[in-house]
Amino acid sequence: MFDAISRRSFVKAVAASAVAGSAAKPGFGEEKAAISGSPTEWSYASGKQYSDPFNQVEVDAIVTLPSGQEERIPAFWAGGSTWRVRYAPPVPGLYKVRSDSTDAANRDLHGQTFTLNVQPYSGQNPHYKHGVLKVAEDQRHFQHADGTPFFWLGDTWWMGLCKRLSWPDGFETLTADRVQKGFTIVQIVAGLYPDMEPFDERGANEVGYPWERDYSRINPAYFDEADVRIQHLADHGLAACIVGFWGYFIPRMGMTKVKQHWRYLVARWGAYPVVWCLAGEGTMPYYLSKTKEQDAEKQKHGLTELARYVHSIDPHHHPVTIHPSSSARLCVDDPSVLDFDMLQTGHSDRQSVPNTIETVNRSIAASPKMPVLIGEVCYEGIVEASREEVERFMFWAAILSGNGGHTYGANGIWQVNTREKPYGLSPHGHSWGGPPWDIAAQLPGSRQLGLAKALLMRYSWWKLEAKPELVEPRWSKADYWEPFVGRIPGEAVVAFLPSAFKPVTFNHLDAGNYRAFFFNPSDATETPIGDVTPDTSGSWKPPEIPIFRDWVVVLENKA
């Protein structure tokens, strides 16, 4: 571990050097080197002193791409008289950069020019190799800028930027575990947390809080500490789903400060592999609010306005959503301001299954069409329930219904419980409990969802279509624990059998020969069924299951 002085030096060194290129101030006419797809950084230092620089001055960089297109990149106040710009140039070539400030008379901040010489990226990090994340043209899943599909398997670290998840030991350990298991993205809150009063000591990082206590200005030192964590995720191939704050901060802070917060996040982290989640529990008022109805309306209108604002200032055009109490669509006045729908569907173990399936299918059928994914459901182990079989069910049922991704969560991680100090009471006076985060990280559901993703990635998973008619019996409102099935055209039929007590029949299968096998969703072992040829009506009955439990059945098209 680092002592206080060496820790400060380490954080500053990483923040300055971990991005491509130097963070030094370029001079007029200078050329600065950068790598396409990955973050580069430079700074502007003002000789003029401001009494309140964060609120008095804004600085942008106007970047002209090799194509001639211009992009406006917001800078962030780095403390003192310094502003920094982070930018991920999308293609190789020569870029022209010019600073633009609201204080046009300050020549240190306004009118500075230099050239950015961008070379091709030659590494293997998928985010820098393939480009920023975006919604695919089919409006059903995610992909990189170059069209490479991106499988969203998320994990939930809501309070992962606080000091209770220590840096580097704790954060690096959890990152390595999730990378090894196949996760691709982490949902993490930018310091304005749920489940506590603002400025609760449990939400602090090593240098305090993201804002001063009266919300008068941002605390750059807080974000210096957060930078190394976001950078670490990126370096290890994990995207970050940045949640700006919990929704009830809108009436607490007001829209002016909320927009300042989001401009700062876009400026500070927009060059990294991220997606934007405007708020957690978007329209849920504060737990003890006495004006809940008015707060909910204020939050809904505010989030609609905020979505338009973030779209307008983000030069990288990262996808935007909201973490909801039900559906992100319901958190805004106009769902077209969102790029994808995130769902929350309950924490009541099997009792949450009906609402989960109905919410998923309702959102998939809704207009405008956009990718759908569950962002929160049945954290593993919550209220001493929701064990690994529930985690498997939620994943397979959602994906085979047409979801574009899925997020897992473990009780104990989202609050960052520690052995020394369990999280304790929430504002409503109760405790969610749960084991320490490092014990929760080893709950079996996280590994099993990684195995599920690995199975699907053998195929063109992004082409998967929900095809409930291919199996009988199948799930319905009368019984949500019947099979779910999807088809990847020309490649495979994949069915999830939650209960093994009823025989099933596959129907309407395409003519041809298949190789079939049972897939154990707990450990990924396969039990071969052998070659399968449907009868003339397209039907086939699988043999007796190996043991009574949930199974995945796969029919690979041998052609």
Side-chain angles (χ1 to χ4, degrees):
M1 298 298 291
F2 299 98
D3 60 38
I5 295 175
S6 61
R7 157 173 270 290
R8 296 283 78 68
S9 301
F10 174 78
V11 168
K12 290 178 181 177
V14 171
S17 65
V19 293
S22 167
K25 173 184 175 183
F28 281 106
E30 285 188 2
E31 185 173 283
K32 173 180 167 57
I35 303 297
S36 65
S38 59
T40 189
E41 182 175 328
W42 62 90
S43 65
Y44 301 103
S46 173
K48 178 180 177 180
Q49 300 299 306
Y50 298 94
S51 60
D52 186 4
F54 175 71
N55 289 298
Q56 289 175 314
V57 184
E58 285 186 354
V59 180
D60 293 331
I62 309 300
V63 176
T64 304
L65 281 67
S67 65
Q69 176 188 350
E70 280 193 350
E71 293 181 334
R72 178 176 288 269
I73 318 300
F76 61 91
W77 177 55
S81 299
T82 301
W83 283 258
R84 294 186 183 274
V85 177
R86 287 184 185 150
Y87 178 59
V91 296
L94 289 176
Y95 293 63
K96 296 178 180 178
V97 180
R98 171 176 54 86
S99 63
D100 184 67
S101 172
T102 52
D103 185 357
N106 187 341
R107 304 309 297 174
D108 292 329
L109 303 180
H110 189 83
Q112 295 279 344
T113 62
F114 70 96
T115 301
L116 201 61
N117 188 347
V118 179
Q119 300 300 312
Y121 176 75
S122 59
Q124 295 304 310
N125 188 310
H127 295 287
Y128 302 150
K129 183 177 182 179
H130 299 298
V132 298
L133 296 177
K134 56 185 288 188
V135 171
E137 289 185 5
D138 64 8
Q139 301 295 306
R140 292 181 56 245
H141 68 278
F142 300 90
Q143 65 181 36
H144 293 275
D146 69 355
T148 302
F150 173 78
F151 196 120
W152 178 307
L153 180 59
D155 197 19
T156 306
W157 305 5
W158 291 142
M159 302 180 191
L161 296 181
C162 75
K163 63 185 176 184
R164 290 177 293 112
L165 183 56
S166 64
W167 173 266
D169 297 348
F171 200 94
E172 288 185 350
T173 297
L174 187 54
T175 298
D177 180 84
R178 274 18 193 177
V179 169
Q180 189 275 328
K181 289 174 178 173
F183 286 83
T184 59
I185 192 165
V186 169
Q187 295 176 180
I188 197 164
V189 181
L192 300 175
Y193 290 133
D195 222 49
M196 63 175 72
E197 281 284 346
F199 306 104
D200 187 306
E201 187 275 335
R202 294 174 292 183
N205 74 6
E206 293 80 0
V207 296
Y209 304 97
W211 281 79
E212 294 186 7
R213 288 182 179 269
D214 59 357
Y215 302 114
S216 58
R217 63 189 60 81
I218 212 88
N219 175 13
Y222 173 92
F223 289 95
D224 290 340
E225 296 282 348
D227 278 350
V228 294
R229 293 159 163 90
I230 301 300
Q231 175 79 43
H232 185 76
L233 293 175
D235 285 347
H236 289 79
L238 288 172
C241 176
I242 302 293
V243 183
F245 46 76
W246 231 240
Y248 53 70
F249 277 90
I250 290 179
R252 284 181 178 240
M253 295 177 71
M255 284 304 296
T256 297
K257 292 299 178 183
V258 161
K259 286 183 177 179
Q260 282 186 307
H261 183 73
W262 261 105
R263 176 184 163 88
Y264 202 81
L265 298 182
V266 170
R268 195 115 196 185
W269 295 334
Y272 294 112
V274 297
V275 300
W276 303 131
C277 182
L278 300 178
E281 299 277 10
T283 55
M284 182 191 80
Y286 185 67
Y287 314 92
L288 306 179
S289 171
K290 300 185 186 306
T291 56
K292 290 188 175 182
E293 188 173 327
Q294 299 94 310
D295 289 352
E297 281 300 300
K298 184 178 291 187
Q299 289 167 219
K300 185 174 184 178
H301 300 326
L303 287 169
T304 309
E305 180 181 344
L306 186 60
R308 295 189 175 108
Y309 175 73
V310 170
H311 278 300
S312 73
I313 64 169
D314 177 16
H316 298 293
H317 308 295
H318 298 293
V320 171
T321 193
I322 296 166
H323 169 273
S325 299
S326 175
S327 164
R329 295 175 185 271
L330 304 179
C331 294
V332 287
D333 300 312
D334 175 9
S336 70
V337 301
L338 303 176
D339 295 302
F340 65 102
D341 194 5
M342 182 177 280
L343 311 178
Q344 181 182 178
T345 58
H347 285 293
S348 300
D349 196 82
R350 289 161 174 77
Q351 288 73 35
S352 294
V353 166
N355 183 59
T356 298
I357 303 308
E358 294 300 329
T359 303
V360 163
N361 282 273
R362 188 163 54 245
S363 180
I364 289 172
S367 182
K369 185 178 180 181
M370 62 181 74
V372 176
L373 63 88
I374 294 173
E376 181 176 338
V377 64
C378 289
Y379 291 152
E380 188 167 7
I382 200 166
V383 296
E384 288 302 313
S386 297
R387 304 302 178 184
E388 62 264 32
E389 71 277 8
V390 174
E391 305 306 317
R392 297 193 299 267
F393 180 95
M394 295 301 187
F395 174 93
W396 284 109
I399 293 295
L400 294 178
S401 293
N403 269 16
H406 187 81
T407 296
Y408 165 86
N411 200 38
I413 292 180
W414 68 276
Q415 289 181 319
V416 193
N417 279 344
T418 66
R419 287 178 172 82
E420 299 78 16
K421 191 174 182 180
Y423 184 80
L425 298 180
S426 301
H428 45 64
H430 303 285
S431 173
W432 288 106
W437 69 263
D438 53 336
I439 300 299
Q442 300 309 315
L443 292 172
S446 59
R447 178 175 177 271
Q448 292 170 11
L449 296 202
L451 298 175
K453 167 180 166 272
L455 172 65
L456 291 172
M457 288 191 71
R458 298 183 195 177
Y459 314 104
S460 302
W461 57 265
W462 59 95
K463 298 178 182 178
L464 190 146
E465 309 165 336
K467 290 290 182 180
E469 68 274 13
L470 295 184
V471 70
E472 189 65 39
R474 59 179 182 262
W475 79 268
S476 67
K477 292 184 178 182
D479 190 346
Y480 293 94
W481 288 83
E482 297 285 10
F484 295 76
V485 64
R487 180 175 63 193
I488 302 170
E491 294 186 47
V493 173
V494 181
F496 175 60
L497 314 182
S499 174
F501 292 102
K502 294 182 182 179
V504 299
T505 301
F506 285 81
N507 298 309
H508 311 296
L509 295 173
D510 294 334
N513 296 319
Y514 296 86
R515 181 182 78 89
F517 59 91
F518 289 109
F519 176 88
N520 185 327
S522 293
D523 60 14
T525 56
E526 296 179 16
T527 302
I529 296 173
D531 292 344
V532 169
T533 301
D535 65 22
T536 55
S537 66
S539 295
W540 169 72
K541 291 185 178 183
E544 186 74 19
I545 58 170
I547 60 173
F548 286 122
R549 56 157 301 141
D550 56 334
W551 288 95
V552 176
V553 177
V554 180
L555 291 85
E556 288 183 343
N557 190 318
K558 292 184 67 175

